[in-house]
Amino acid sequence: MGKRKALMAGNWKMHTTAVDGCQLAVDVASACADFTDREVLLAPPFTILSEVSHILKGRPVIIGSQNVCWEEKGAFTGEISPIMVQAAGGSAAIVGHSERRQIFGETDELINKRLRGGLSFGLLMIFCVGETLEEREAGKAFAVLYEQIKKGLADVAAPDMAKVVIAYEPVWAIGTGKTASKEQAQETHAFIRGVLEQIYEKNVAEQTRILYGGSVKPTNVDELMAQPDIDGALVGGAALDAQSFGRIINFK
Ligand code: PGA
């Protein structure tokens, strides 16, 4: 089958307030051509989801949150619910980012709850996985990824996989300037697709988009996107600069 529709996602992390965030969003939207083979997603901080959605109304940009709770409402201090994301104009959410796992101690089980919660409200879910440098050097990368995927997707039914995008982000490549080589990334993406085939079936594995993340830049995006199993990018640092992200979404 042909390649899946690419998804180019910008994760703004804890950067931007209303004025600079809206400006960045508008500049990114201006860099979007009439794409038919790719989608663009922005994940601003919770505080400006509404402003960014509002200013991009009618533009072909998907808005997502950087995390999401599984409940609609309740006593969950510090959390954001799927309906809050939707009310703010969002239709997607990132879960399992390595910063959530490493800095905030989120476990596979918690991430699975977030993932299933977001799906139950119809959000497009970007589910992140990735190994640390220590794990890669010890030859454990695939075992770690297998575990994260298996546990993260527990009780996610095959039809729901249409709304799941996997983001492979080697922790050692995030914000470090070190990118996995295109061969390393392709090999790992192919492995992840194999795990999906094992959990679900060939169809699901072939249709699920697998994004690469970790120091994606204008200078490496083309070779990464040329790999058969790389279906997009989750971009941090370079997504904060409209010119860089504009070039990334216009990968050749
Ligand atoms: P980076 O971040 O592009 O700055 O490496 C990627 C991410 O953490 O999603």
Side-chain angles (χ1 to χ4, degrees), residues 3 18 32 47 84 206 210 229:
K3 258 195 113 168
C32 294
T47 46
M84 290 172 181
E206 276 181 355
I210 306 175
D229 287 296

Side-chain angles (χ1 to χ4, degrees), residues 11 13 97-99 169 173-177 213-216 234-239:
N11 170 14
K13 308 193 180 184
H97 191 279
S98 66
E99 285 148 19
E169 300 203 302
I174 296 180
T176 57
S215 299
V216 175
L234 181 55
V235 187

Side-chain angles (χ1 to χ4, degrees), residues 1 7-8 10 16 23 39 51 89 129 144 149 170 180 205 213 215 218 220 224 231 238 245:
M1 66 164 260
L7 178 64
M8 309 307 281
T16 71
Q23 185 62 54
E39 295 177 323
E51 277 102 330
V129 295
V144 167
I149 295 168
S215 299
N220 60 23
L224 287 165
D231 307 310
F245 195 58

